[in-house]
Amino acid sequence: LTHFPCPLHQIQREREVMDLILEGKYNKVIADQLSISMRTVEAHRSRIFDKMAVRSAVELAQMLTVLRG
């Protein structure tokens, strides 16, 4: 039996990763804090950056500041 992650859980996890990125946490710290692998953090980070059309955490923070502004 193959296990597929629930899309809602994935979105929630991406939000958790995004919040920690915005706090300036390194991938290793995020991985430890969320009890996931660094590779998983990197995958979430990549998807977040793709979805938000940014290339860095600084760009992400700037975009969210404008959107929330």
Side-chain angles (χ1 to χ4, degrees):
L1 187 68
T2 304
H3 177 271
F4 294 99
C6 170
L8 182 57
H9 180 263
Q10 184 171 346
I11 292 167
Q12 291 170 338
R13 182 61 85 178
E14 285 179 7
R15 178 60 191 257
E16 291 172 330
V17 170
M18 182 176 71
D19 289 343
L20 293 170
I21 291 169
L22 293 171
E23 289 177 18
K25 305 264 170 109
Y26 293 107
N27 288 354
K28 173 71 171 133
V29 174
I30 295 170
D32 290 345
Q33 190 168 336
L34 298 179
S35 300
I36 58 178
S37 73
M38 269 194 39
R39 179 67 190 113
T40 300
V41 173
E42 291 165 0
H44 284 310
R45 184 182 192 106
S46 178
R47 278 193 298 275
I48 291 164
F49 286 10
D50 286 348
K51 286 179 183 180
M52 300 301 287
V54 298
R55 293 177 297 188
S56 71
V58 172
E59 283 185 40
L60 179 64
Q62 290 171 340
M63 174 181 278
L64 291 176
T65 298
V66 169
L67 292 175
R68 292 177 180 168

